[in-house]
Amino acid sequence: MKLRLSEAELAHLNAFLDACPDCERLSSREVVLDLYDNERPVSMNFVFVKGGIGIDGAAELLYSEADDGYYMGERIEDAERVRAALEEAGALPRP
């Protein structure tokens, strides 16, 4: 799935990723990002493509008290849910 982003949104996203401790850049184009502070935490893997990002995978993160850690929950298959998660985290400016 693809999320179209403007140049300003891409610049904002890159600045967020540079400052985010829960971001791992796997290459100059590929990113793994965990948004633990969202009301419903999310993990995603995406690549920068022309005009936005291509989302390879995204899922809700659920917390296990017993394991004291997060695990993958429901898969997210809607680009607008990914956009909303990025906006909530401050990775994209809110409209």
Side-chain angles (χ1 to χ4, degrees), residues 23-68:
C23 166
E24 182 179 357
R25 290 188 185 254
L26 303 178
S27 71
S28 61
R29 294 183 47 225
E30 187 174 6
V31 175
V32 174
L33 176 62
D34 295 322
L35 301 173
Y36 295 113
D37 293 333
N38 281 17
E39 184 177 326
R40 293 171 69 180
V42 173
S43 181
M44 63 185 75
N45 180 295
F46 60 86
V47 293
F48 287 94
V49 296
K50 185 175 181 177
I53 57 173
I55 303 155
D56 292 334
E60 292 182 0
L61 291 173
L62 303 174
Y63 187 76
S64 168
E65 294 280 339
D67 295 328
D68 191 29

Side-chain angles (χ1 to χ4, degrees), residues 12-25:
H12 189 98
L13 177 59
N14 267 302
F16 176 87
L17 296 174
D18 288 342
C20 181
D22 298 314
C23 166
E24 182 179 357
R25 290 188 185 254

